[in-house]
Amino acid sequence: MMSLLELISDEGWLLDQLSVIMVLMGLLSYVMLRFIRVPYGRYANSVFGPPVPVRFAWFIQELPSLTLPILYTLWYPEQSTASRILLTGFICHYIQRTLVYPFLIRGGKDTPFASFALAFIFCCYNGYLQSSYLCNHAAFSTGWSQDPRFIIGLLLFVSGMFINIYSDHILRNLRKPGETGYKIPRGGLFEYVTGANFFGEILEWTGFAIAGWSFPGAAFAVFTALVLTSRAQQHHQWYHEKFEDYPKSRKILVPFLY
């Protein structure tokens, strides 16, 4: 059997393999979602397991992506400035996703157990991947926090987070208290694209990948882009099927382009 030191020394190789697998999972998800709709929210049904209350599902499934980087930061306090900033950004995203977003949901449908379980597993997977890399394996140069790639990446990350949160705010406020139906989103980037919230999250993790300039970060950005592009395509089709007056000029995901 390998000794503990040998296992630790091989973790960098393991993180690379996990990054490759994440990209492959994203490609597989993109292909599968061309034929089936993700069983959550408006597409939820009993075929994918018993229902889980939506607020509970969101809180629990996102929790590993919040707790793991916090624990890694406590266990490995000696980090570079760049690693500390990136971990802080990651934690801030998941504070909002775990402790804020679920409790603002209005009238959301219960989540099928299969969707909940897969999301929980992914958050464990990615929480470990990003936290372990940034705490133990990132080798940033002394001046990396002043590098144009780091600065541009952070600007994209913050911009994407703002777009994502503001777009969720618009979607949430389409419903008055007690309402459960769907309406055409108006305002913000929804004037230009169907998937404004998805565009924001893709921009966010693209910025994270550029700022970190790493394989794990890039793998997460690619996975996010593939999965959320599929969801935006499905939502765009659904809106056109449900609403005859849905704006014909509205793109799917990227303003003016796609």
Side-chain angles (χ1 to χ4, degrees):
M1 293 181 61
M2 295 178 67
S3 69
L4 179 60
L5 289 176
E6 288 174 321
L7 286 172
I8 293 174
S9 67
D10 281 343
E11 189 179 37
W13 176 88
L14 174 62
L15 297 181
D16 284 343
Q17 307 317 303
L18 292 176
S19 298
V20 171
I21 292 171
M22 182 176 285
V23 173
L24 294 177
M25 286 194 302
L27 290 169
L28 178 61
S29 298
Y30 184 84
V31 172
M32 290 178 62
L33 294 176
R34 303 298 293 173
F35 303 100
I36 62 172
R37 285 178 168 173
V38 177
Y40 81 104
R42 69 197 68 182
Y43 312 122
N45 60 69
S46 60
V47 174
F48 294 90
V52 180
V54 63
R55 290 186 179 89
F56 176 82
W58 268 104
F59 173 73
I60 295 298
Q61 73 190 31
E62 303 291 311
L63 193 58
S65 286
L66 173 61
T67 55
L68 284 172
I70 291 174
L71 290 174
Y72 264 87
T73 301
L74 295 174
W75 286 335
Y76 304 100
E78 298 298 324
Q79 302 157 20
S80 67
T81 300
S83 287
R84 194 175 299 278
I85 292 172
L86 289 168
L87 279 166
T88 299
F90 192 87
I91 290 169
C92 285
H93 173 90
Y94 282 103
I95 286 175
Q96 197 278 331
R97 270 298 187 222
T98 307
L99 303 179
V100 179
Y101 175 79
F103 304 101
L104 297 176
I105 294 173
R106 293 181 182 176
K109 292 183 178 180
D110 290 344
T111 303
F113 181 80
S115 298
F116 162 68
L118 288 172
F120 177 80
I121 292 169
F122 177 80
C123 285
C124 291
Y125 185 113
N126 189 53
Y128 162 71
L129 177 62
Q130 306 303 329
S131 302
S132 180
Y133 173 77
L134 288 172
C135 286
N136 293 327
H137 301 279
F140 295 115
S141 60
T142 304
W144 180 253
S145 57
Q146 285 82 46
D147 189 284
R149 288 167 291 182
F150 186 80
I151 295 170
I152 291 170
L154 280 186
L155 290 174
L156 292 176
F157 180 85
V158 173
S159 299
M161 181 181 286
F162 173 80
I163 292 169
N164 180 248
I165 293 173
Y166 182 61
S167 298
D168 282 340
H169 170 78
I170 290 174
L171 291 174
R172 187 166 51 247
N173 285 279
L174 291 174
R175 293 178 178 143
K176 296 178 181 178
E179 288 186 336
T180 58
Y182 290 93
K183 300 177 183 179
I184 298 175
R186 306 284 185 182
L189 281 185
F190 284 113
E191 295 298 325
Y192 305 97
V193 296
T194 297
N197 51 334
F198 298 143
F199 174 76
E201 189 157 357
I202 290 171
L203 186 65
E204 190 176 351
W205 296 120
T206 299
F208 183 84
I210 292 172
W213 211 252
S214 70
F215 192 11
F220 183 32
V222 169
F223 178 90
T224 301
L226 288 168
V227 172
L228 296 189
T229 296
S230 294
R231 291 187 183 180
Q233 291 167 342
Q234 291 178 351
H235 281 18
H236 193 72
Q237 180 183 353
W238 183 88
Y239 276 115
H240 277 285
E241 292 171 354
K242 188 172 180 64
F243 299 100
E244 292 183 0
D245 59 339
Y246 193 74
K248 299 295 188 292
S249 62
R250 195 173 290 189
K251 299 296 185 180
I252 297 174
L253 186 64
V254 183
F256 310 111
L257 297 177
Y258 174 73

